Amino acid sequence: MSRLASWSLSLALPCALAACTTTEAADESGDLIAAAEEALLSISGKADAAWDTAPTLHVGERVHDRASAQGRRVYPMWIAGRPGAPVPLDVVATAHDGDYSVRVAVLGPLRNGTRAVLAAGGYATPRANVEISLDVKTAGEHLIVVGSHDLADETFFDVQTHCDACDARAIDVLSSPKSGSLVATGNGIVEGRLGDVLANRTFDVQLELWASPPMQSWNAHKVATSVASGNQVNVIVPASVRPGDDLKLVVRKPGGAILDTGVVTRYAPQATALVRTDAILYGDIASVQVAGIAGFYEGVAEMQLRSETRHVIVDEDHIEISQPGHVGMGFNAFDATFAPELTDAHGTLNPNLPRNGDLLSVGMINGNDDYVRLGCFQYCNDLSGMETCTGGPRTCPSTAW
């Protein structure tokens, strides 16, 4: 056993040995030993194709991802834990379907060229689901490393972290806003606060503002930059940014290393519901993705897609809050997917499928069970290039549904 493996076993075990079965204790010990041995291979920060670095993972986010065979997907995550004030962290990774396995290691901050293994699971035996709970007593950039059992195969998985009742200042580079938040409401200024993990920094911190139409991160471009003063970093949203755009907040050292690859928020200059019918994403057949801002009640928004032309409900999407910046009661960003069934159980074509040229509306069901239109557009999913429809925003009918 290496020195690091022996040392890390004394740092953290996922459960107390006295409370574990013999098999569970052996698996957990084996997980930590295997993870610690492997951590010696590539933890110095040097480029390594087998250690594939993902965007920053924020506490409370869920990510759908993959790791290649013989590869690991590595998620940087910032936590400000201390021995006297540990941060209770849960890490959950679940493999897709039944054909994949998943394993997870949580590594501490880089110290003298090494990272301690704080917890691990799925190394000793193949598992489709790994759940780890630990108290993080270290401050800095931590890593969550995900791969398949023995790295034998490609794997597809979901990974998510939780920290119940945590102080927002103890998690992430930004204590506010958090991913999924509505920003710049009322004053057109994104008001940011740095987390405790940067409280004792000896360098300047810069906030970059990147804007894109909603759900179109590939179209993001930098629109503004600001430098932090103490723990506060504010930036004015330029007039070119439209309500409902996605704003990604990138934190970095000026001209240097990126500390956080981006907290994605939504621009909401007014506290009101809206839908971006100019930014519709069409699927291959009949699916439609739309985004905007809607009112949520007890953490849920009921969104519907309706044909105003034929007066039918095309599809609906039951959306629950899923981001750390969401609120249970009030306005939240939404990304809705409408994917109506093509046929019924008898193979008959769904008569409510949208047709090119139809006037469609996107709306929400309010507390009185009424349908409230947020916006309308012409449906134009033209794969052939032969249709005459043009698509885009249209005026909604003035009469109630």
Side-chain angles (χ1 to χ4, degrees), residues 58-59 61 167-183 195 263-265 323-326:
H58 306 105
V59 175
E61 285 182 337
D167 188 329
R169 295 170 297 182
I171 52 178
D172 304 327
V173 169
L174 289 176
S175 66
S176 67
K178 298 297 187 183
S179 294
S181 295
L182 303 181
V183 296
V263 175
V264 179
T265 64
Q323 296 291 323
H326 286 168

Side-chain angles (χ1 to χ4, degrees), residues 5 12-13 16 49 70 79 109 114 125 153 231 239 269 275 290 292 305 323 372 399:
L13 283 175
Q70 302 305 313
I79 302 175
T114 64
T125 58
D153 302 294
N231 74 338
V275 63
V290 296
L305 179 69
Q323 296 291 323
V372 180
T399 56

Side-chain angles (χ1 to χ4, degrees), residues 125-308:
T125 58
R127 294 169 63 180
N129 183 72
V130 173
E131 299 183 14
I132 297 173
S133 295
L134 69 156
D135 288 333
V136 180
K137 301 177 182 179
T138 47
E141 183 191 49
H142 297 66
L143 301 180
I144 296 179
V145 184
V146 184
S148 66
H149 179 67
D150 286 341
L151 305 180
D153 302 294
E154 177 184 41
T155 185
F156 295 83
F157 57 86
D158 294 343
V159 62
Q160 187 172 18
T161 59
H162 305 274
C163 186
D164 293 336
C166 274
D167 188 329
R169 295 170 297 182
I171 52 178
D172 304 327
V173 169
L174 289 176
S175 66
S176 67
K178 298 297 187 183
S179 294
S181 295
L182 303 181
V183 296
T185 303
N187 59 9
I189 299 174
V190 176
E191 300 177 340
R193 296 289 185 276
L194 299 178
D196 287 348
V197 75
L198 295 182
N200 298 318
R201 68 185 186 279
T202 58
F203 51 85
D204 287 335
V205 171
Q206 181 175 289
L207 178 69
E208 296 177 350
L209 197 63
W210 293 68
S212 69
M215 307 183 297
Q216 298 182 29
S217 58
W218 58 90
N219 282 329
H221 59 286
K222 186 166 64 174
V223 296
T225 303
S226 181
V227 176
S229 174
N231 74 338
Q232 180 175 324
V233 55
N234 297 339
V235 59
I236 298 173
V237 180
S240 60
V241 179
R242 299 189 56 186
D245 274 351
D246 282 343
L247 293 178
K248 182 171 68 173
L249 283 58
V250 177
V251 183
R252 67 187 308 161
K253 297 178 181 180
I258 292 177
L259 305 176
D260 190 309
T261 56
V263 175
V264 179
T265 64
R266 185 151 292 167
Y267 181 42
Q270 304 296 327
T272 186
L274 62 87
V275 63
R276 287 291 299 273
T277 54
D278 63 317
I280 302 292
L281 298 179
Y282 288 100
D284 290 340
I285 302 178
S287 66
V288 173
Q289 290 180 281
V290 296
I293 299 169
F296 282 61
Y297 178 73
E298 293 184 348
V300 174
E302 299 288 351
M303 307 300 299
Q304 289 188 348
L305 179 69
R306 298 191 177 192
S307 172
E308 301 288 343

